[in-house]
Amino acid sequence: MAEPLNIALAGLGTVGSGVVRLIETNADLIARRARRPIRIAAVSARDRGKDRGVDLSPYLWLDDPAESATRPEIDVVVEMVGGSDGPALTLARKSIASGKSFVTANKAMIAHHGLELAAAAEAAGVALKFEAAVAGGIPVIKGLSEGAAANAIKRVYGILNGTCNYILSTMEDTGRDFADVLADAQRLGYAEADPTFDVEGIDAAHKLAILAGIAFGTRLRFDAVETSGITGVLAADISQARALGYVIRLIGTAEIDHGPVGGGEERGLFQRVRPHLVPCDHPLASVDGATNAVVAEGNFMGRLLFQGAGAGDGPTASAVVADLIDIARGEKGAAFSMPSAELEALEPANSGHRMGRAYLRFIVPDRPGVLAEITAAMRDAGVSIESFIQKGRGEAGGEVIVALVTHEGPEAAVSEALRILEGTDSVARPPLVMQIIGA
Ligand code: NAP
Ligand code: HSE
């Protein structure tokens, strides 16, 4: 058998220790598939003494992960530290500049610096791979950049954050409290080191920006993802949605937008992460727990659905090692499916002309006239109301929850209604807006 591929692992947390376990458990099978063994030549993390549930004594310990970038025996550096900048980015730049291929699970770094790193990898003639960065164990990057490579992809959307999906579906099934379920997701290794990245939608936005770049052949625009998370979703929204025949899911959507029909506007890149109402009979409604699902629509292949575990040690390690097997086989590929100079620069699309139905929820003072003010704002903005729900009555002088579902209409009209209501004493706190996905 050929010489082993020598790898250095930086980061030995959930993902890093999963990679050690996987490489040890499936060593023979991997060697046959890769046509050479994959050998862990060095490992590094912050705390050498920490019990990680794996025996690290056979491996060289490096106190500084950056050392792996310059050691001559290392072929590939695998970064599983995290963070868009800091030690992860230093390691990436140094490794590539030293002629080492680089594998990472770090979507934050790729979303912010992927174009720079891809160009550097092309110049150095090395591979830059990040299958584990998007949708955990699902081979969606390979699926889009290889299996779907012949298609013009017009839309890609789905459930991209395991932690949020775990929280929403567990709250829905058990009625448990948000903070309590988030603590479970952290214990299970799904959440980011800073879980605000998960619950504020930022992690899903990182992944969406990467997916959009690959799907459409466009330059990454993480800065242009409209992002909102699930912290504003109340248990009352979940039960209200269920009563209306929907579940709530955090959905990321990216598409090439051609502007209003007949408007003659330039093409733009639409990217949004937001909680949505999903009809109970829609395929995304049954995606529970830390599972992710990605739908891609191509002009010849039609609709593809990728689904599987979106977070956790085993699935993420599986994606990392798949990249290593490609490199061991000599398959470098292009990080974003084409040379980085070929990626098209698209400006963000204006979303106002987008049509759809929406769920709007307000927390309002329990006093006469409030409902009339909300409906007047809708009327004045041209928003047509399909149903209007007031949930019970609060304490005297307290607040009540009011929700409404709109008929199909332009998003700009809903934004205008909210603008009219902004700052009025009818709306005590910022409203929650969720688009409703078509069946
Ligand atoms: P984690 O459990 O927090 O592990 C991070 C590792 O990096 C730890 O071993 C830590 O060392 C090490 N580290 C942190 N700062 C360091 C520094 N300055 N120098 C050296 N080592 C340092 O994180 P994780 O969940 O494995 O995630 C790692 C990466 O994978 C992140 O980019 C994350 O977004 C991505 N990812 C995670 C998942 C998932 O399901 N968890 C899935 C897909 C992608 P100590 O252990 O000694 O503290
Ligand atoms: N924190 C991420 C999630 C890990 O929950 O989806 C997988 O990328």
Side-chain angles (χ1 to χ4, degrees):
M1 196 169 278
E3 287 292 294
L5 181 80
N6 287 319
I7 65 168
L9 305 182
L12 295 165
T14 302
V15 182
S17 52
V19 167
V20 175
R21 255 191 304 280
L22 171 50
I23 289 178
E24 289 180 348
T25 307
N26 289 352
D28 291 344
L29 182 67
I30 290 168
R32 281 189 283 137
R33 293 215 168 110
R35 299 191 283 276
R36 57 199 285 209
I38 292 180
R39 176 176 163 267
I40 301 173
V43 297
S44 58
R46 268 179 307 212
D47 177 359
R48 187 170 187 174
K50 196 188 262 187
D51 178 8
R52 303 171 190 279
V54 284
D55 177 13
L56 296 173
S57 59
Y59 310 122
L60 173 70
W61 177 272
L62 303 176
D63 285 327
D64 178 6
E67 210 194 310
S68 57
T70 49
R71 291 185 76 92
E73 76 277 20
I74 306 289
D75 301 309
V76 185
V77 174
V78 186
E79 184 274 314
M80 298 163 291
V81 170
S84 60
D85 296 81
L89 183 60
T90 304
L91 183 60
R93 288 177 172 153
K94 237 179 141 174
S95 303
I96 293 169
S98 308
K100 313 235 181 265
S101 287
F102 192 78
V103 172
T104 179
N106 187 338
K107 49 273 172 141
M109 181 176 70
I110 295 297
H112 285 275
H113 303 289
L115 292 175
E116 172 210 317
L117 296 176
E122 287 160 22
V126 299
L128 167 67
K129 290 186 176 281
F130 41 82
E131 183 64 72
V134 179
I138 307 174
V140 64
I141 290 184
K142 208 175 179 60
L144 292 182
S145 53
E146 295 182 17
N151 287 264
I153 295 178
K154 50 188 178 188
R155 186 156 73 121
V156 61
Y157 65 99
I159 295 172
L160 299 173
N161 184 270
T163 301
C164 287
N165 209 59
Y166 180 83
I167 293 173
L168 290 170
S169 58
T170 306
M171 285 174 72
E172 179 186 297
D173 292 345
T174 64
R176 282 171 59 203
D177 176 60
F178 183 98
D180 188 30
V181 185
L182 170 59
D184 265 7
Q186 290 178 284
R187 190 178 42 76
L188 291 163
Y190 302 153
E192 296 302 298
D194 176 356
T196 48
F197 278 77
D198 296 292
V199 297
E200 298 294 356
I202 301 160
D203 176 77
H206 288 146
K207 294 164 177 167
L208 186 71
I210 297 169
L211 274 185
I214 292 170
F216 310 137
T218 48
R219 292 177 69 79
L220 268 64
R221 290 296 306 266
F222 167 69
D223 61 309
V225 184
E226 288 177 28
T227 306
S228 47
I230 64 166
T231 49
V233 177
L234 303 175
D237 296 310
I238 293 176
S239 55
Q240 191 54 61
R242 185 46 79 104
L244 293 165
Y246 299 95
V247 295
I248 298 176
R249 295 285 180 266
L250 185 72
I251 306 272
T253 307
E255 75 186 272
I256 300 289
D257 187 293
H258 294 271
V261 177
E265 283 188 11
E266 292 284 312
R267 287 169 2 112
L269 179 61
F270 171 76
Q271 303 174 103
R272 174 185 282 163
V273 170
R274 189 180 274 184
H276 282 66
L277 260 61
V278 179
C280 287
D281 57 357
H282 189 283
L284 294 184
S286 53
V287 176
D288 285 338
T291 307
N292 283 187
V294 179
V295 180
E297 295 168 354
N299 60 344
F300 275 70
M301 71 190 182
R303 184 178 292 185
L304 282 186
L305 169 65
F306 302 83
Q307 185 168 336
D313 56 351
T316 312
S318 160
V320 169
V321 179
D323 280 346
L324 290 169
I325 291 174
D326 275 353
I327 294 170
R329 289 170 173 161
E331 295 162 8
K332 285 187 202 146
F336 294 101
S337 181
M338 62 179 74
S340 53
E342 296 288 329
L343 295 167
E344 184 185 6
L346 275 189
E347 286 306 309
N350 175 353
S351 58
H353 65 273
R354 295 180 69 81
M355 299 292 287
R357 294 165 65 225
Y359 167 98
L360 312 182
R361 188 262 295 139
F362 303 88
I363 297 178
V364 300
D366 189 8
R367 64 165 171 76
V370 169
L371 300 192
E373 285 169 46
I374 292 176
T375 49
M378 298 296 148
R379 179 202 59 212
D380 293 347
V383 177
S384 169
I385 298 174
E386 179 186 298
S387 50
F388 200 104
I389 309 120
Q390 179 179 341
K391 286 297 284 181
R393 294 202 55 145
E395 302 293 309
E399 294 173 335
V400 290
I401 289 180
V402 168
L404 62 87
V405 173
T406 71
H407 278 124
E408 173 101 2
E411 289 188 7
V414 172
S415 303
E416 172 59 10
L418 297 178
R419 193 197 58 74
I420 294 170
L421 289 167
E422 200 176 314
T424 64
D425 57 8
S426 299
V427 177
R429 284 185 257 162
L432 176 71
V433 182
M434 295 189 278
Q435 262 62 45
I436 300 179
I437 285 199

PDB file of all heavy atoms in Angstrom, residues 212-243:
ATOM      1  N   ALA A 212     -24.742  28.991  -0.884  1.00  0.00           N
ATOM      2  CA  ALA A 212     -25.130  29.839  -2.014  1.00  0.00           C
ATOM      3  C   ALA A 212     -23.957  30.010  -2.966  1.00  0.00           C
ATOM      4  O   ALA A 212     -24.122  29.934  -4.188  1.00  0.00           O
ATOM      5  CB  ALA A 212     -25.612  31.201  -1.502  1.00  0.00           C
ATOM      6  N   GLY A 213     -22.759  30.230  -2.423  1.00  0.00           N
ATOM      7  CA  GLY A 213     -21.573  30.384  -3.271  1.00  0.00           C
ATOM      8  C   GLY A 213     -21.373  29.168  -4.159  1.00  0.00           C
ATOM      9  O   GLY A 213     -21.113  29.280  -5.362  1.00  0.00           O
ATOM     10  N   ILE A 214     -21.516  27.990  -3.558  1.00  0.00           N
ATOM     11  CA  ILE A 214     -21.301  26.763  -4.325  1.00  0.00           C
ATOM     12  C   ILE A 214     -22.456  26.515  -5.298  1.00  0.00           C
ATOM     13  O   ILE A 214     -22.253  26.175  -6.459  1.00  0.00           O
ATOM     14  CB  ILE A 214     -21.126  25.569  -3.355  1.00  0.00           C
ATOM     15  CG1 ILE A 214     -19.814  25.746  -2.591  1.00  0.00           C
ATOM     16  CG2 ILE A 214     -21.156  24.239  -4.104  1.00  0.00           C
ATOM     17  CD1 ILE A 214     -19.623  24.794  -1.447  1.00  0.00           C
ATOM     18  N   ALA A 215     -23.678  26.722  -4.821  1.00  0.00           N
ATOM     19  CA  ALA A 215     -24.844  26.409  -5.660  1.00  0.00           C
ATOM     20  C   ALA A 215     -24.917  27.326  -6.881  1.00  0.00           C
ATOM     21  O   ALA A 215     -25.221  26.872  -7.985  1.00  0.00           O
ATOM     22  CB  ALA A 215     -26.127  26.546  -4.834  1.00  0.00           C
ATOM     23  N   PHE A 216     -24.655  28.620  -6.682  1.00  0.00           N
ATOM     24  CA  PHE A 216     -24.870  29.581  -7.778  1.00  0.00           C
ATOM     25  C   PHE A 216     -23.572  29.995  -8.479  1.00  0.00           C
ATOM     26  O   PHE A 216     -23.626  30.733  -9.466  1.00  0.00           O
ATOM     27  CB  PHE A 216     -25.550  30.859  -7.240  1.00  0.00           C
ATOM     28  CG  PHE A 216     -26.778  30.591  -6.405  1.00  0.00           C
ATOM     29  CD1 PHE A 216     -26.999  31.289  -5.227  1.00  0.00           C
ATOM     30  CD2 PHE A 216     -27.720  29.644  -6.794  1.00  0.00           C
ATOM     31  CE1 PHE A 216     -28.127  31.058  -4.450  1.00  0.00           C
ATOM     32  CE2 PHE A 216     -28.851  29.397  -6.014  1.00  0.00           C
ATOM     33  CZ  PHE A 216     -29.051  30.094  -4.844  1.00  0.00           C
ATOM     34  N   GLY A 217     -22.418  29.579  -7.937  1.00  0.00           N
ATOM     35  CA  GLY A 217     -21.157  30.034  -8.532  1.00  0.00           C
ATOM     36  C   GLY A 217     -20.950  31.524  -8.307  1.00  0.00           C
ATOM     37  O   GLY A 217     -20.462  32.238  -9.181  1.00  0.00           O
ATOM     38  N   THR A 218     -21.330  31.994  -7.119  1.00  0.00           N
ATOM     39  CA  THR A 218     -21.220  33.428  -6.808  1.00  0.00           C
ATOM     40  C   THR A 218     -20.241  33.642  -5.654  1.00  0.00           C
ATOM     41  O   THR A 218     -20.015  32.735  -4.843  1.00  0.00           O
ATOM     42  CB  THR A 218     -22.597  34.002  -6.402  1.00  0.00           C
ATOM     43  OG1 THR A 218     -23.188  33.142  -5.431  1.00  0.00           O
ATOM     44  CG2 THR A 218     -23.518  34.117  -7.605  1.00  0.00           C
ATOM     45  N   ARG A 219     -19.713  34.849  -5.593  1.00  0.00           N
ATOM     46  CA  ARG A 219     -18.810  35.184  -4.484  1.00  0.00           C
ATOM     47  C   ARG A 219     -19.607  35.213  -3.186  1.00  0.00           C
ATOM     48  O   ARG A 219     -20.752  35.676  -3.165  1.00  0.00           O
ATOM     49  CB  ARG A 219     -18.152  36.548  -4.729  1.00  0.00           C
ATOM     50  CG  ARG A 219     -17.179  36.503  -5.899  1.00  0.00           C
ATOM     51  CD  ARG A 219     -16.576  37.860  -6.190  1.00  0.00           C
ATOM     52  NE  ARG A 219     -15.670  38.316  -5.157  1.00  0.00           N
ATOM     53  CZ  ARG A 219     -14.404  37.912  -5.004  1.00  0.00           C
ATOM     54  NH1 ARG A 219     -13.900  37.035  -5.859  1.00  0.00           N
ATOM     55  NH2 ARG A 219     -13.644  38.370  -4.041  1.00  0.00           N
ATOM     56  N   LEU A 220     -19.000  34.722  -2.112  1.00  0.00           N
ATOM     57  CA  LEU A 220     -19.709  34.625  -0.832  1.00  0.00           C
ATOM     58  C   LEU A 220     -20.060  36.020  -0.315  1.00  0.00           C
ATOM     59  O   LEU A 220     -19.217  36.916  -0.334  1.00  0.00           O
ATOM     60  CB  LEU A 220     -18.827  33.920   0.204  1.00  0.00           C
ATOM     61  CG  LEU A 220     -19.008  32.415   0.306  1.00  0.00           C
ATOM     62  CD1 LEU A 220     -18.601  31.731  -0.981  1.00  0.00           C
ATOM     63  CD2 LEU A 220     -18.178  31.854   1.457  1.00  0.00           C
ATOM     64  N   ARG A 221     -21.297  36.171   0.157  1.00  0.00           N
ATOM     65  CA  ARG A 221     -21.736  37.439   0.743  1.00  0.00           C
ATOM     66  C   ARG A 221     -22.426  37.164   2.080  1.00  0.00           C
ATOM     67  O   ARG A 221     -23.636  37.349   2.218  1.00  0.00           O
ATOM     68  CB  ARG A 221     -22.694  38.152  -0.225  1.00  0.00           C
ATOM     69  CG  ARG A 221     -22.054  38.689  -1.478  1.00  0.00           C
ATOM     70  CD  ARG A 221     -21.027  39.800  -1.205  1.00  0.00           C
ATOM     71  NE  ARG A 221     -21.546  40.901  -0.409  1.00  0.00           N
ATOM     72  CZ  ARG A 221     -22.062  42.014  -0.909  1.00  0.00           C
ATOM     73  NH1 ARG A 221     -22.113  42.193  -2.209  1.00  0.00           N
ATOM     74  NH2 ARG A 221     -22.517  42.966  -0.116  1.00  0.00           N
ATOM     75  N   PHE A 222     -21.623  36.730   3.077  1.00  0.00           N
ATOM     76  CA  PHE A 222     -22.206  36.509   4.410  1.00  0.00           C
ATOM     77  C   PHE A 222     -22.803  37.809   4.948  1.00  0.00           C
ATOM     78  O   PHE A 222     -23.837  37.808   5.616  1.00  0.00           O
ATOM     79  CB  PHE A 222     -21.138  35.959   5.363  1.00  0.00           C
ATOM     80  CG  PHE A 222     -21.574  35.996   6.797  1.00  0.00           C
ATOM     81  CD1 PHE A 222     -22.579  35.163   7.244  1.00  0.00           C
ATOM     82  CD2 PHE A 222     -21.009  36.898   7.699  1.00  0.00           C
ATOM     83  CE1 PHE A 222     -23.022  35.224   8.567  1.00  0.00           C
ATOM     84  CE2 PHE A 222     -21.436  36.960   9.005  1.00  0.00           C
ATOM     85  CZ  PHE A 222     -22.449  36.118   9.441  1.00  0.00           C
ATOM     86  N   ASP A 223     -22.152  38.929   4.629  1.00  0.00           N
ATOM     87  CA  ASP A 223     -22.618  40.229   5.133  1.00  0.00           C
ATOM     88  C   ASP A 223     -24.032  40.552   4.636  1.00  0.00           C
ATOM     89  O   ASP A 223     -24.707  41.396   5.209  1.00  0.00           O
ATOM     90  CB  ASP A 223     -21.663  41.344   4.667  1.00  0.00           C
ATOM     91  CG  ASP A 223     -21.622  41.439   3.145  1.00  0.00           C
ATOM     92  OD1 ASP A 223     -21.422  40.400   2.483  1.00  0.00           O
ATOM     93  OD2 ASP A 223     -21.829  42.545   2.604  1.00  0.00           O
ATOM     94  N   ALA A 224     -24.459  39.892   3.558  1.00  0.00           N
ATOM     95  CA  ALA A 224     -25.750  40.233   2.951  1.00  0.00           C
ATOM     96  C   ALA A 224     -26.843  39.220   3.284  1.00  0.00           C
ATOM     97  O   ALA A 224     -27.913  39.253   2.673  1.00  0.00           O
ATOM     98  CB  ALA A 224     -25.582  40.335   1.435  1.00  0.00           C
ATOM     99  N   VAL A 225     -26.603  38.326   4.257  1.00  0.00           N
ATOM    100  CA  VAL A 225     -27.661  37.389   4.649  1.00  0.00           C
ATOM    101  C   VAL A 225     -28.577  38.109   5.647  1.00  0.00           C
ATOM    102  O   VAL A 225     -28.107  38.579   6.688  1.00  0.00           O
ATOM    103  CB  VAL A 225     -27.091  36.116   5.314  1.00  0.00           C
ATOM    104  CG1 VAL A 225     -28.219  35.123   5.606  1.00  0.00           C
ATOM    105  CG2 VAL A 225     -26.017  35.466   4.451  1.00  0.00           C
ATOM    106  N   GLU A 226     -29.861  38.240   5.315  1.00  0.00           N
ATOM    107  CA  GLU A 226     -30.834  38.788   6.290  1.00  0.00           C
ATOM    108  C   GLU A 226     -30.994  37.717   7.359  1.00  0.00           C
ATOM    109  O   GLU A 226     -31.450  36.613   7.061  1.00  0.00           O
ATOM    110  CB  GLU A 226     -32.215  38.946   5.642  1.00  0.00           C
ATOM    111  CG  GLU A 226     -32.364  40.051   4.656  1.00  0.00           C
ATOM    112  CD  GLU A 226     -33.781  40.020   4.067  1.00  0.00           C
ATOM    113  OE1 GLU A 226     -34.736  39.558   4.721  1.00  0.00           O
ATOM    114  OE2 GLU A 226     -33.907  40.436   2.923  1.00  0.00           O
ATOM    115  N   THR A 227     -30.666  38.049   8.594  1.00  0.00           N
ATOM    116  CA  THR A 227     -30.593  36.998   9.620  1.00  0.00           C
ATOM    117  C   THR A 227     -31.449  37.311  10.831  1.00  0.00           C
ATOM    118  O   THR A 227     -31.335  38.375  11.420  1.00  0.00           O
ATOM    119  CB  THR A 227     -29.117  36.830  10.082  1.00  0.00           C
ATOM    120  OG1 THR A 227     -28.301  36.604   8.933  1.00  0.00           O
ATOM    121  CG2 THR A 227     -28.967  35.661  11.032  1.00  0.00           C
ATOM    122  N   SER A 228     -32.324  36.380  11.186  1.00  0.00           N
ATOM    123  CA  SER A 228     -32.931  36.448  12.516  1.00  0.00           C
ATOM    124  C   SER A 228     -33.049  35.032  13.057  1.00  0.00           C
ATOM    125  O   SER A 228     -33.201  34.074  12.295  1.00  0.00           O
ATOM    126  CB  SER A 228     -34.273  37.185  12.515  1.00  0.00           C
ATOM    127  OG  SER A 228     -35.074  36.740  11.486  1.00  0.00           O
ATOM    128  N   GLY A 229     -32.974  34.925  14.366  1.00  0.00           N
ATOM    129  CA  GLY A 229     -32.921  33.603  14.986  1.00  0.00           C
ATOM    130  C   GLY A 229     -34.216  33.228  15.664  1.00  0.00           C
ATOM    131  O   GLY A 229     -35.296  33.724  15.301  1.00  0.00           O
ATOM    132  N   ILE A 230     -34.105  32.356  16.656  1.00  0.00           N
ATOM    133  CA  ILE A 230     -35.314  31.797  17.264  1.00  0.00           C
ATOM    134  C   ILE A 230     -35.557  32.317  18.675  1.00  0.00           C
ATOM    135  O   ILE A 230     -36.481  31.865  19.337  1.00  0.00           O
ATOM    136  CB  ILE A 230     -35.274  30.255  17.276  1.00  0.00           C
ATOM    137  CG1 ILE A 230     -34.118  29.731  18.147  1.00  0.00           C
ATOM    138  CG2 ILE A 230     -35.169  29.703  15.859  1.00  0.00           C
ATOM    139  CD1 ILE A 230     -34.247  28.233  18.470  1.00  0.00           C
ATOM    140  N   THR A 231     -34.748  33.277  19.116  1.00  0.00           N
ATOM    141  CA  THR A 231     -34.921  33.716  20.508  1.00  0.00           C
ATOM    142  C   THR A 231     -36.255  34.431  20.721  1.00  0.00           C
ATOM    143  O   THR A 231     -36.765  34.473  21.838  1.00  0.00           O
ATOM    144  CB  THR A 231     -33.770  34.646  20.957  1.00  0.00           C
ATOM    145  OG1 THR A 231     -33.599  35.647  19.953  1.00  0.00           O
ATOM    146  CG2 THR A 231     -32.475  33.893  21.125  1.00  0.00           C
ATOM    147  N   GLY A 232     -36.828  34.979  19.637  1.00  0.00           N
ATOM    148  CA  GLY A 232     -38.117  35.663  19.778  1.00  0.00           C
ATOM    149  C   GLY A 232     -39.311  34.727  19.700  1.00  0.00           C
ATOM    150  O   GLY A 232     -40.453  35.164  19.861  1.00  0.00           O
ATOM    151  N   VAL A 233     -39.072  33.441  19.420  1.00  0.00           N
ATOM    152  CA  VAL A 233     -40.191  32.498  19.277  1.00  0.00           C
ATOM    153  C   VAL A 233     -40.650  32.048  20.665  1.00  0.00           C
ATOM    154  O   VAL A 233     -39.852  31.535  21.459  1.00  0.00           O
ATOM    155  CB  VAL A 233     -39.768  31.263  18.440  1.00  0.00           C
ATOM    156  CG1 VAL A 233     -40.905  30.242  18.350  1.00  0.00           C
ATOM    157  CG2 VAL A 233     -39.314  31.679  17.044  1.00  0.00           C
ATOM    158  N   LEU A 234     -41.910  32.266  20.959  1.00  0.00           N
ATOM    159  CA  LEU A 234     -42.455  31.890  22.271  1.00  0.00           C
ATOM    160  C   LEU A 234     -43.151  30.531  22.186  1.00  0.00           C
ATOM    161  O   LEU A 234     -43.578  30.111  21.100  1.00  0.00           O
ATOM    162  CB  LEU A 234     -43.496  32.924  22.721  1.00  0.00           C
ATOM    163  CG  LEU A 234     -43.028  34.379  22.800  1.00  0.00           C
ATOM    164  CD1 LEU A 234     -44.213  35.292  23.139  1.00  0.00           C
ATOM    165  CD2 LEU A 234     -41.931  34.513  23.850  1.00  0.00           C
ATOM    166  N   ALA A 235     -43.303  29.895  23.339  1.00  0.00           N
ATOM    167  CA  ALA A 235     -44.068  28.647  23.390  1.00  0.00           C
ATOM    168  C   ALA A 235     -45.471  28.889  22.804  1.00  0.00           C
ATOM    169  O   ALA A 235     -46.039  28.023  22.122  1.00  0.00           O
ATOM    170  CB  ALA A 235     -44.153  28.160  24.833  1.00  0.00           C
ATOM    171  N   ALA A 236     -46.001  30.108  23.031  1.00  0.00           N
ATOM    172  CA  ALA A 236     -47.341  30.431  22.503  1.00  0.00           C
ATOM    173  C   ALA A 236     -47.348  30.415  20.978  1.00  0.00           C
ATOM    174  O   ALA A 236     -48.353  30.055  20.354  1.00  0.00           O
ATOM    175  CB  ALA A 236     -47.776  31.798  23.011  1.00  0.00           C
ATOM    176  N   ASP A 237     -46.226  30.818  20.334  1.00  0.00           N
ATOM    177  CA  ASP A 237     -46.165  30.776  18.868  1.00  0.00           C
ATOM    178  C   ASP A 237     -46.183  29.332  18.378  1.00  0.00           C
ATOM    179  O   ASP A 237     -46.813  29.011  17.368  1.00  0.00           O
ATOM    180  CB  ASP A 237     -44.883  31.465  18.368  1.00  0.00           C
ATOM    181  CG  ASP A 237     -44.850  32.943  18.698  1.00  0.00           C
ATOM    182  OD1 ASP A 237     -45.852  33.631  18.413  1.00  0.00           O
ATOM    183  OD2 ASP A 237     -43.836  33.405  19.256  1.00  0.00           O
ATOM    184  N   ILE A 238     -45.448  28.484  19.113  1.00  0.00           N
ATOM    185  CA  ILE A 238     -45.382  27.077  18.706  1.00  0.00           C
ATOM    186  C   ILE A 238     -46.775  26.452  18.791  1.00  0.00           C
ATOM    187  O   ILE A 238     -47.218  25.767  17.865  1.00  0.00           O
ATOM    188  CB  ILE A 238     -44.348  26.321  19.583  1.00  0.00           C
ATOM    189  CG1 ILE A 238     -42.946  26.867  19.263  1.00  0.00           C
ATOM    190  CG2 ILE A 238     -44.429  24.823  19.369  1.00  0.00           C
ATOM    191  CD1 ILE A 238     -41.825  26.297  20.111  1.00  0.00           C
ATOM    192  N   SER A 239     -47.489  26.724  19.891  1.00  0.00           N
ATOM    193  CA  SER A 239     -48.824  26.105  20.011  1.00  0.00           C
ATOM    194  C   SER A 239     -49.828  26.752  19.052  1.00  0.00           C
ATOM    195  O   SER A 239     -50.682  26.081  18.479  1.00  0.00           O
ATOM    196  CB  SER A 239     -49.324  26.114  21.458  1.00  0.00           C
ATOM    197  OG  SER A 239     -49.303  27.408  21.945  1.00  0.00           O
ATOM    198  N   GLN A 240     -49.657  28.055  18.804  1.00  0.00           N
ATOM    199  CA  GLN A 240     -50.547  28.718  17.851  1.00  0.00           C
ATOM    200  C   GLN A 240     -50.326  28.169  16.444  1.00  0.00           C
ATOM    201  O   GLN A 240     -51.271  27.896  15.703  1.00  0.00           O
ATOM    202  CB  GLN A 240     -50.284  30.230  17.877  1.00  0.00           C
ATOM    203  CG  GLN A 240     -51.298  31.059  17.155  1.00  0.00           C
ATOM    204  CD  GLN A 240     -52.702  30.767  17.636  1.00  0.00           C
ATOM    205  OE1 GLN A 240     -53.008  30.966  18.802  1.00  0.00           O
ATOM    206  NE2 GLN A 240     -53.542  30.233  16.760  1.00  0.00           N
ATOM    207  N   ALA A 241     -49.033  28.012  16.098  1.00  0.00           N
ATOM    208  CA  ALA A 241     -48.712  27.474  14.773  1.00  0.00           C
ATOM    209  C   ALA A 241     -49.322  26.085  14.622  1.00  0.00           C
ATOM    210  O   ALA A 241     -49.929  25.754  13.596  1.00  0.00           O
ATOM    211  CB  ALA A 241     -47.193  27.405  14.594  1.00  0.00           C
ATOM    212  N   ARG A 242     -49.189  25.271  15.667  1.00  0.00           N
ATOM    213  CA  ARG A 242     -49.709  23.901  15.606  1.00  0.00           C
ATOM    214  C   ARG A 242     -51.225  23.928  15.409  1.00  0.00           C
ATOM    215  O   ARG A 242     -51.768  23.158  14.599  1.00  0.00           O
ATOM    216  CB  ARG A 242     -49.302  23.153  16.878  1.00  0.00           C
ATOM    217  CG  ARG A 242     -49.663  21.682  16.942  1.00  0.00           C
ATOM    218  CD  ARG A 242     -49.325  20.948  15.663  1.00  0.00           C
ATOM    219  NE  ARG A 242     -47.911  20.609  15.539  1.00  0.00           N
ATOM    220  CZ  ARG A 242     -47.405  19.409  15.714  1.00  0.00           C
ATOM    221  NH1 ARG A 242     -48.177  18.403  16.029  1.00  0.00           N
ATOM    222  NH2 ARG A 242     -46.125  19.196  15.562  1.00  0.00           N
ATOM    223  N   ALA A 243     -51.896  24.837  16.108  1.00  0.00           N
ATOM    224  CA  ALA A 243     -53.359  24.917  15.974  1.00  0.00           C
ATOM    225  C   ALA A 243     -53.753  25.298  14.542  1.00  0.00           C
ATOM    226  O   ALA A 243     -54.817  24.915  14.053  1.00  0.00           O
ATOM    227  CB  ALA A 243     -53.908  25.934  16.967  1.00  0.00           C
TER     228      ALA A 243
END
